[in-house]
Amino acid sequence: MVYVMLADGFEEIEAIEPIDILRRGGVEVKTLSIKKERLVTGAHQIPVTADASVFDLEDARDMEAIVLPGGAGHELLDASNEVHGLINFALENNLIIAAICAAPSILGKKTLLSGKDAVCFPGYEKYLYGAKILPDKAVKDGRFITARGAGAASDFGFMILDALKGEGSSKTLRETMQYI
């Protein structure tokens, strides 16, 4: 199960496109609102009803990966003890941790990207303490996947799919979806 964390102000395409790609690729995805209500409003005023609230989560033993979308909502993600608890759980259990746009700064501030290849939205590099910043749209280094922003959402989603299902597993889906 992939947990996609949603906070008011999240960049819609950075969450929805990877969710779509993962589900088409046969991966179970659960969207989690970081507030008690399930209704979350994106950066462009698109309301999204999350599958559940993070406060309703009894345990995270089914989690294979956590995804942190960017946009203004990344600050709310960073301020959430529940989000940090799930990141810590992912760390302890060697799970995939993926962040796009400004959200890699959350990982960077925790020094999780130190010594790793990473990317983020321009201007947030200063928070990726010790990371090697690359010019790519999306980067995987070990269990960490980072991406630049909305224009990299598909690459980000396909990279997460490959990390979960095996390298190259997204090839047929890319062709079917016309991402070639």
Side-chain angles (χ1 to χ4, degrees):
M1 176 81 63
V2 174
Y3 291 177
V4 178
M5 309 309 297
L6 299 179
D8 285 330
F10 75 96
E11 190 67 46
E12 293 95 343
I13 197 168
E14 296 171 2
I16 302 302
E17 190 164 7
I19 291 167
D20 182 87
I21 288 168
L22 291 168
R23 287 185 175 169
R24 287 175 191 246
V27 174
E28 280 190 78
V29 177
K30 181 182 278 188
T31 55
L32 292 174
S33 166
I34 67 159
K35 54 188 185 175
K36 293 192 186 298
E37 303 83 34
R38 291 176 43 214
L39 186 65
V40 183
T41 303
H44 300 96
Q45 303 310 305
I46 300 172
V48 173
T49 303
D51 296 319
S53 165
V54 70
F55 296 101
D56 298 329
L57 191 63
E58 292 182 18
D59 69 59
R61 284 183 283 179
D62 64 347
M63 183 169 64
E64 298 173 82
I66 184 170
V67 176
L68 308 172
H74 88 279
E75 293 176 353
L76 295 172
L77 294 178
D78 197 13
S80 168
N81 289 332
E82 291 73 25
V83 170
H84 281 280
L86 288 171
I87 292 169
N88 292 340
F89 180 85
L91 283 168
E92 293 164 9
N93 291 280
N94 203 31
L95 307 176
I96 299 294
I97 302 171
I100 185 170
C101 192
S105 67
I106 298 167
L107 307 178
K109 290 175 193 174
K110 291 173 76 81
T111 67
L112 301 178
L113 300 176
S114 184
K116 306 260 185 233
D117 293 341
V119 296
C120 63
F121 192 79
Y124 286 87
E125 299 89 350
K126 63 187 174 191
Y127 300 111
L128 305 190
Y129 305 122
K132 179 182 176 191
I133 309 299
L134 298 181
D136 307 49
K137 288 173 74 173
V139 172
K140 179 179 181 297
D141 190 332
R143 63 179 151 162
F144 295 97
I145 298 172
T146 55
R148 287 194 173 284
S154 59
D155 294 314
F156 183 62
F158 290 124
M159 199 169 279
I160 297 167
L161 180 60
D162 282 341
L164 293 168
K165 294 280 195 170
E167 199 63 40
S169 61
S170 68
K171 183 180 185 306
T172 302
L173 185 58
R174 282 179 185 269
E175 292 169 357
T176 302
M177 294 178 72
Q178 300 300 295
Y179 277 102
I180 50 171

CSV table of all heavy atoms in Angstrom, one decimal, residues 22-72:
chain,number,residue,atom,x,y,z
A,22,LEU,N,0.1,4.7,-10.4
A,22,LEU,CA,0.3,3.5,-9.5
A,22,LEU,C,-0.9,2.6,-9.5
A,22,LEU,O,-0.7,1.4,-9.6
A,22,LEU,CB,0.6,4.0,-8.1
A,22,LEU,CG,1.9,4.7,-7.8
A,22,LEU,CD1,1.9,5.4,-6.5
A,22,LEU,CD2,3.1,3.7,-8.0
A,23,ARG,N,-2.1,3.1,-9.5
A,23,ARG,CA,-3.3,2.3,-9.6
A,23,ARG,C,-3.4,1.5,-10.9
A,23,ARG,O,-3.7,0.3,-10.9
A,23,ARG,CB,-4.5,3.1,-9.3
A,23,ARG,CG,-4.6,3.5,-7.8
A,23,ARG,CD,-5.9,4.2,-7.5
A,23,ARG,NE,-6.0,4.4,-6.0
A,23,ARG,CZ,-6.8,5.2,-5.4
A,23,ARG,NH1,-7.8,5.8,-6.1
A,23,ARG,NH2,-6.8,5.3,-4.1
A,24,ARG,N,-3.1,2.2,-12.0
A,24,ARG,CA,-3.0,1.5,-13.3
A,24,ARG,C,-2.0,0.4,-13.3
A,24,ARG,O,-2.1,-0.6,-14.0
A,24,ARG,CB,-2.7,2.5,-14.4
A,24,ARG,CG,-3.8,3.4,-14.8
A,24,ARG,CD,-3.3,4.4,-15.8
A,24,ARG,NE,-4.3,5.5,-16.0
A,24,ARG,CZ,-4.9,5.8,-17.1
A,24,ARG,NH1,-4.8,5.0,-18.2
A,24,ARG,NH2,-5.7,6.8,-17.2
A,25,GLY,N,-0.9,0.6,-12.5
A,25,GLY,CA,0.2,-0.4,-12.5
A,25,GLY,C,-0.1,-1.5,-11.5
A,25,GLY,O,0.8,-2.3,-11.2
A,26,GLY,N,-1.3,-1.5,-10.9
A,26,GLY,CA,-1.6,-2.6,-9.9
A,26,GLY,C,-1.2,-2.4,-8.5
A,26,GLY,O,-1.2,-3.3,-7.7
A,27,VAL,N,-0.9,-1.1,-8.1
A,27,VAL,CA,-0.4,-0.8,-6.8
A,27,VAL,C,-1.6,-0.2,-6.0
A,27,VAL,O,-2.3,0.6,-6.5
A,27,VAL,CB,0.8,0.2,-6.8
A,27,VAL,CG1,1.1,0.6,-5.4
A,27,VAL,CG2,2.0,-0.4,-7.5
A,28,GLU,N,-1.8,-0.8,-4.8
A,28,GLU,CA,-2.8,-0.2,-3.9
A,28,GLU,C,-2.4,1.2,-3.4
A,28,GLU,O,-1.2,1.3,-2.9
A,28,GLU,CB,-3.1,-1.1,-2.7
A,28,GLU,CG,-4.1,-2.3,-3.1
A,28,GLU,CD,-4.5,-3.0,-1.8
A,28,GLU,OE1,-5.4,-2.5,-1.1
A,28,GLU,OE2,-3.9,-4.0,-1.5
A,29,VAL,N,-3.2,2.1,-3.4
A,29,VAL,CA,-2.9,3.5,-3.0
A,29,VAL,C,-4.0,3.9,-2.0
A,29,VAL,O,-5.2,3.7,-2.2
A,29,VAL,CB,-2.8,4.5,-4.1
A,29,VAL,CG1,-2.6,5.9,-3.6
A,29,VAL,CG2,-1.7,4.1,-5.1
A,30,LYS,N,-3.6,4.5,-0.9
A,30,LYS,CA,-4.5,5.1,0.1
A,30,LYS,C,-4.1,6.6,0.2
A,30,LYS,O,-3.0,6.9,0.6
A,30,LYS,CB,-4.5,4.4,1.4
A,30,LYS,CG,-5.4,5.0,2.4
A,30,LYS,CD,-5.3,4.3,3.8
A,30,LYS,CE,-6.1,3.0,3.7
A,30,LYS,NZ,-6.3,2.4,5.0
A,31,THR,N,-5.1,7.5,0.0
A,31,THR,CA,-4.8,8.9,0.2
A,31,THR,C,-5.2,9.2,1.7
A,31,THR,O,-6.3,8.7,2.1
A,31,THR,CB,-5.6,9.8,-0.8
A,31,THR,OG1,-7.0,9.4,-0.7
A,31,THR,CG2,-5.1,9.6,-2.2
A,32,LEU,N,-4.4,9.9,2.3
A,32,LEU,CA,-4.6,10.3,3.7
A,32,LEU,C,-4.6,11.8,3.9
A,32,LEU,O,-3.6,12.4,3.7
A,32,LEU,CB,-3.5,9.7,4.6
A,32,LEU,CG,-3.5,8.1,4.7
A,32,LEU,CD1,-2.3,7.7,5.5
A,32,LEU,CD2,-4.8,7.6,5.4
A,33,SER,N,-5.7,12.3,4.4
A,33,SER,CA,-5.8,13.7,4.8
A,33,SER,C,-5.0,13.8,6.1
A,33,SER,O,-5.1,13.0,7.0
A,33,SER,CB,-7.2,14.1,5.0
A,33,SER,OG,-7.3,15.3,5.7
A,34,ILE,N,-4.3,14.9,6.2
A,34,ILE,CA,-3.5,15.1,7.4
A,34,ILE,C,-4.3,15.9,8.5
A,34,ILE,O,-3.8,16.2,9.6
A,34,ILE,CB,-2.1,15.8,7.2
A,34,ILE,CG1,-2.3,17.3,6.8
A,34,ILE,CG2,-1.3,15.0,6.2
A,34,ILE,CD1,-1.1,18.1,7.0
A,35,LYS,N,-5.6,16.1,8.2
A,35,LYS,CA,-6.4,16.7,9.2
A,35,LYS,C,-7.6,15.7,9.5
A,35,LYS,O,-7.7,14.7,8.9
A,35,LYS,CB,-7.0,18.1,8.7
A,35,LYS,CG,-7.7,18.0,7.3
A,35,LYS,CD,-8.0,19.4,6.8
A,35,LYS,CE,-8.8,19.3,5.5
A,35,LYS,NZ,-9.3,20.6,5.1
A,36,LYS,N,-8.4,16.0,10.5
A,36,LYS,CA,-9.4,15.1,10.9
A,36,LYS,C,-10.5,14.9,9.8
A,36,LYS,O,-11.0,13.8,9.6
A,36,LYS,CB,-10.1,15.6,12.2
A,36,LYS,CG,-9.1,15.5,13.3
A,36,LYS,CD,-9.8,15.7,14.7
A,36,LYS,CE,-8.9,15.7,15.8
A,36,LYS,NZ,-8.1,14.6,16.0
A,37,GLU,N,-10.7,15.9,9.0
A,37,GLU,CA,-11.7,15.8,7.9
A,37,GLU,C,-11.0,15.2,6.7
A,37,GLU,O,-9.8,15.4,6.4
A,37,GLU,CB,-12.2,17.2,7.4
A,37,GLU,CG,-12.9,18.0,8.5
A,37,GLU,CD,-11.9,18.8,9.4
A,37,GLU,OE1,-10.8,19.2,8.9
A,37,GLU,OE2,-12.1,18.9,10.6
A,38,ARG,N,-11.8,14.4,5.9
A,38,ARG,CA,-11.3,13.8,4.7
A,38,ARG,C,-11.2,14.8,3.5
A,38,ARG,O,-10.4,14.5,2.6
A,38,ARG,CB,-12.1,12.6,4.3
A,38,ARG,CG,-11.9,11.4,5.3
A,38,ARG,CD,-12.8,10.3,5.0
A,38,ARG,NE,-12.9,9.9,3.6
A,38,ARG,CZ,-13.9,9.4,3.0
A,38,ARG,NH1,-15.1,9.2,3.7
A,38,ARG,NH2,-13.9,9.1,1.8
A,39,LEU,N,-12.0,15.8,3.5
A,39,LEU,CA,-12.0,16.8,2.4
A,39,LEU,C,-10.8,17.7,2.4
A,39,LEU,O,-10.5,18.4,3.4
A,39,LEU,CB,-13.3,17.6,2.4
A,39,LEU,CG,-13.4,18.5,1.2
A,39,LEU,CD1,-13.6,17.7,-0.1
A,39,LEU,CD2,-14.6,19.4,1.3
A,40,VAL,N,-10.0,17.6,1.4
A,40,VAL,CA,-8.8,18.4,1.3
A,40,VAL,C,-8.9,19.3,0.0
A,40,VAL,O,-9.3,18.8,-1.0
A,40,VAL,CB,-7.5,17.5,1.2
A,40,VAL,CG1,-6.2,18.4,1.2
A,40,VAL,CG2,-7.5,16.5,2.4
A,41,THR,N,-8.5,20.5,0.1
A,41,THR,CA,-8.5,21.4,-1.1
A,41,THR,C,-7.1,21.7,-1.6
A,41,THR,O,-6.2,22.1,-0.9
A,41,THR,CB,-9.2,22.7,-0.7
A,41,THR,OG1,-10.5,22.4,-0.2
A,41,THR,CG2,-9.4,23.6,-1.9
A,42,GLY,N,-6.9,21.4,-2.9
A,42,GLY,CA,-5.6,21.6,-3.5
A,42,GLY,C,-5.3,23.0,-3.8
A,42,GLY,O,-6.1,23.9,-3.5
A,43,ALA,N,-4.1,23.3,-4.3
A,43,ALA,CA,-3.6,24.6,-4.5
A,43,ALA,C,-4.4,25.4,-5.5
A,43,ALA,O,-4.4,26.6,-5.5
A,43,ALA,CB,-2.1,24.5,-5.0
A,44,HIS,N,-5.1,24.7,-6.4
A,44,HIS,CA,-5.9,25.3,-7.4
A,44,HIS,C,-7.4,25.1,-7.2
A,44,HIS,O,-8.2,25.1,-8.1
A,44,HIS,CB,-5.5,24.8,-8.8
A,44,HIS,CG,-4.1,25.0,-9.1
A,44,HIS,ND1,-3.1,24.1,-8.8
A,44,HIS,CD2,-3.5,26.2,-9.5
A,44,HIS,CE1,-1.9,24.7,-9.1
A,44,HIS,NE2,-2.1,25.9,-9.5
A,45,GLN,N,-7.7,25.1,-5.9
A,45,GLN,CA,-9.1,25.0,-5.3
A,45,GLN,C,-9.9,23.8,-5.8
A,45,GLN,O,-11.1,23.8,-5.9
A,45,GLN,CB,-9.8,26.3,-5.7
A,45,GLN,CG,-9.2,27.5,-5.1
A,45,GLN,CD,-8.8,27.4,-3.7
A,45,GLN,OE1,-9.6,27.1,-2.8
A,45,GLN,NE2,-7.5,27.6,-3.3
A,46,ILE,N,-9.2,22.7,-6.1
A,46,ILE,CA,-9.8,21.4,-6.5
A,46,ILE,C,-10.0,20.6,-5.2
A,46,ILE,O,-9.1,20.2,-4.6
A,46,ILE,CB,-9.0,20.6,-7.5
A,46,ILE,CG1,-8.8,21.5,-8.8
A,46,ILE,CG2,-9.7,19.3,-7.8
A,46,ILE,CD1,-7.9,20.8,-9.8
A,47,PRO,N,-11.3,20.4,-4.8
A,47,PRO,CA,-11.5,19.6,-3.6
A,47,PRO,C,-11.3,18.1,-3.9
A,47,PRO,O,-11.8,17.6,-4.9
A,47,PRO,CB,-13.0,19.9,-3.2
A,47,PRO,CG,-13.6,20.4,-4.5
A,47,PRO,CD,-12.5,20.9,-5.4
A,48,VAL,N,-10.7,17.5,-3.0
A,48,VAL,CA,-10.4,16.0,-3.1
A,48,VAL,C,-10.8,15.4,-1.8
A,48,VAL,O,-10.4,15.9,-0.7
A,48,VAL,CB,-8.9,15.7,-3.4
A,48,VAL,CG1,-8.6,14.3,-3.4
A,48,VAL,CG2,-8.5,16.4,-4.7
A,49,THR,N,-11.6,14.3,-1.9
A,49,THR,CA,-11.9,13.6,-0.7
A,49,THR,C,-10.9,12.4,-0.5
A,49,THR,O,-10.9,11.5,-1.3
A,49,THR,CB,-13.3,13.0,-0.8
A,49,THR,OG1,-14.2,14.1,-1.0
A,49,THR,CG2,-13.7,12.3,0.5
A,50,ALA,N,-10.1,12.5,0.5
A,50,ALA,CA,-9.1,11.5,0.8
A,50,ALA,C,-9.8,10.2,1.3
A,50,ALA,O,-11.0,10.2,1.7
A,50,ALA,CB,-8.2,11.9,1.9
A,51,ASP,N,-9.1,9.1,1.1
A,51,ASP,CA,-9.7,7.8,1.5
A,51,ASP,C,-9.9,7.7,3.0
A,51,ASP,O,-10.8,7.1,3.5
A,51,ASP,CB,-8.7,6.6,1.1
A,51,ASP,CG,-8.6,6.5,-0.4
A,51,ASP,OD1,-9.6,6.6,-1.1
A,51,ASP,OD2,-7.5,6.3,-0.9
A,52,ALA,N,-9.1,8.4,3.7
A,52,ALA,CA,-9.2,8.4,5.2
A,52,ALA,C,-8.4,9.6,5.8
A,52,ALA,O,-7.6,10.2,5.0
A,52,ALA,CB,-8.6,7.1,5.8
A,53,SER,N,-8.6,9.8,7.0
A,53,SER,CA,-7.7,10.8,7.8
A,53,SER,C,-6.6,10.0,8.4
A,53,SER,O,-6.7,8.9,8.8
A,53,SER,CB,-8.6,11.5,8.9
A,53,SER,OG,-7.7,12.1,9.8
A,54,VAL,N,-5.4,10.7,8.5
A,54,VAL,CA,-4.3,10.1,9.1
A,54,VAL,C,-4.6,9.7,10.6
A,54,VAL,O,-4.1,8.8,11.1
A,54,VAL,CB,-3.0,11.0,9.0
A,54,VAL,CG1,-3.2,12.2,9.8
A,54,VAL,CG2,-1.8,10.2,9.3
A,55,PHE,N,-5.6,10.5,11.1
A,55,PHE,CA,-6.0,10.2,12.5
A,55,PHE,C,-6.8,8.9,12.7
A,55,PHE,O,-6.9,8.4,13.8
A,55,PHE,CB,-6.7,11.4,13.1
A,55,PHE,CG,-5.9,12.7,13.2
A,55,PHE,CD1,-6.0,13.6,12.2
A,55,PHE,CD2,-4.9,12.8,14.2
A,55,PHE,CE1,-5.2,14.8,12.2
A,55,PHE,CE2,-4.1,13.9,14.2
A,55,PHE,CZ,-4.2,14.9,13.2
A,56,ASP,N,-7.3,8.4,11.6
A,56,ASP,CA,-8.1,7.2,11.6
A,56,ASP,C,-7.2,5.9,11.4
A,56,ASP,O,-7.6,4.8,11.5
A,56,ASP,CB,-9.2,7.2,10.5
A,56,ASP,CG,-10.2,8.3,10.8
A,56,ASP,OD1,-10.4,8.6,12.0
A,56,ASP,OD2,-10.7,8.8,9.8
A,57,LEU,N,-5.9,6.2,11.0
A,57,LEU,CA,-5.0,5.1,10.7
A,57,LEU,C,-4.6,4.3,12.0
A,57,LEU,O,-4.1,4.9,12.9
A,57,LEU,CB,-3.8,5.7,10.0
A,57,LEU,CG,-2.8,4.7,9.4
A,57,LEU,CD1,-3.4,4.0,8.3
A,57,LEU,CD2,-1.6,5.5,8.9
A,58,GLU,N,-4.9,3.1,12.0
A,58,GLU,CA,-4.7,2.3,13.3
A,58,GLU,C,-3.2,1.8,13.3
A,58,GLU,O,-2.6,1.8,14.4
A,58,GLU,CB,-5.6,1.1,13.4
A,58,GLU,CG,-7.0,1.6,13.6
A,58,GLU,CD,-8.0,0.4,13.8
A,58,GLU,OE1,-7.6,-0.7,14.0
A,58,GLU,OE2,-9.2,0.7,13.6
A,59,ASP,N,-2.7,1.4,12.2
A,59,ASP,CA,-1.2,1.1,12.1
A,59,ASP,C,-0.8,1.2,10.7
A,59,ASP,O,-1.7,1.3,9.8
A,59,ASP,CB,-0.9,-0.2,12.8
A,59,ASP,CG,-1.4,-1.4,12.0
A,59,ASP,OD1,-1.1,-1.5,10.8
A,59,ASP,OD2,-2.2,-2.2,12.5
A,60,ALA,N,0.5,1.2,10.5
A,60,ALA,CA,1.0,1.4,9.1
A,60,ALA,C,1.7,0.2,8.6
A,60,ALA,O,2.4,0.3,7.6
A,60,ALA,CB,1.9,2.6,9.1
A,61,ARG,N,1.3,-1.0,9.1
A,61,ARG,CA,2.0,-2.2,8.7
A,61,ARG,C,1.8,-2.6,7.3
A,61,ARG,O,2.6,-3.3,6.7
A,61,ARG,CB,1.6,-3.4,9.6
A,61,ARG,CG,2.3,-3.3,11.0
A,61,ARG,CD,2.0,-4.5,11.8
A,61,ARG,NE,0.6,-4.2,12.3
A,61,ARG,CZ,0.0,-5.1,13.1
A,61,ARG,NH1,0.6,-6.2,13.4
A,61,ARG,NH2,-1.2,-4.8,13.5
A,62,ASP,N,0.8,-2.0,6.6
A,62,ASP,CA,0.5,-2.3,5.2
A,62,ASP,C,1.3,-1.3,4.3
A,62,ASP,O,1.2,-1.5,3.1
A,62,ASP,CB,-1.0,-2.4,4.9
A,62,ASP,CG,-1.7,-1.0,5.1
A,62,ASP,OD1,-1.1,-0.1,5.7
A,62,ASP,OD2,-2.8,-0.9,4.6
A,63,MET,N,1.9,-0.3,4.8
A,63,MET,CA,2.6,0.7,4.0
A,63,MET,C,3.8,0.1,3.4
A,63,MET,O,4.7,-0.5,4.0
A,63,MET,CB,3.0,1.9,4.9
A,63,MET,CG,3.6,3.0,4.1
A,63,MET,SD,3.8,4.6,4.9
A,63,MET,CE,4.9,4.2,6.2
A,64,GLU,N,3.9,0.3,2.0
A,64,GLU,CA,5.1,0.0,1.3
A,64,GLU,C,5.9,1.2,0.9
A,64,GLU,O,7.1,1.2,0.6
A,64,GLU,CB,4.7,-0.7,0.0
A,64,GLU,CG,4.0,-2.0,0.2
A,64,GLU,CD,3.6,-2.6,-1.2
A,64,GLU,OE1,4.4,-3.2,-1.9
A,64,GLU,OE2,2.4,-2.4,-1.5
A,65,ALA,N,5.2,2.4,0.8
A,65,ALA,CA,5.8,3.6,0.4
A,65,ALA,C,5.0,4.8,0.9
A,65,ALA,O,3.8,4.6,1.1
A,65,ALA,CB,5.9,3.7,-1.1
A,66,ILE,N,5.6,5.9,1.1
A,66,ILE,CA,4.9,7.2,1.5
A,66,ILE,C,5.3,8.2,0.4
A,66,ILE,O,6.4,8.3,0.0
A,66,ILE,CB,5.3,7.7,2.9
A,66,ILE,CG1,4.5,8.9,3.3
A,66,ILE,CG2,6.8,7.9,3.0
A,66,ILE,CD1,4.6,9.3,4.7
A,67,VAL,N,4.2,8.9,0.0
A,67,VAL,CA,4.4,10.0,-1.1
A,67,VAL,C,4.0,11.3,-0.5
A,67,VAL,O,2.9,11.5,0.1
A,67,VAL,CB,3.6,9.6,-2.3
A,67,VAL,CG1,3.7,10.8,-3.3
A,67,VAL,CG2,4.0,8.3,-2.9
A,68,LEU,N,4.9,12.3,-0.6
A,68,LEU,CA,4.7,13.6,-0.2
A,68,LEU,C,4.6,14.6,-1.3
A,68,LEU,O,5.6,14.9,-1.9
A,68,LEU,CB,5.8,14.1,0.8
A,68,LEU,CG,6.2,13.1,1.9
A,68,LEU,CD1,7.4,13.6,2.6
A,68,LEU,CD2,5.0,13.0,2.9
A,69,PRO,N,3.4,15.0,-1.7
A,69,PRO,CA,3.2,16.0,-2.8
A,69,PRO,C,3.7,17.4,-2.3
A,69,PRO,O,3.7,17.7,-1.1
A,69,PRO,CB,1.7,16.1,-3.1
A,69,PRO,CG,1.1,14.9,-2.4
A,69,PRO,CD,2.1,14.6,-1.2
A,70,GLY,N,4.0,18.2,-3.3
A,70,GLY,CA,4.5,19.6,-3.0
A,70,GLY,C,3.4,20.6,-3.0
A,70,GLY,O,2.2,20.3,-2.7
A,71,GLY,N,3.7,21.8,-3.4
A,71,GLY,CA,2.8,22.9,-3.3
A,71,GLY,C,2.8,23.5,-1.9
A,71,GLY,O,3.6,23.1,-1.1
A,72,ALA,N,2.0,24.5,-1.7
A,72,ALA,CA,2.0,25.2,-0.4
A,72,ALA,C,1.7,24.2,0.7
A,72,ALA,O,2.1,24.5,1.9
A,72,ALA,CB,1.0,26.3,-0.4
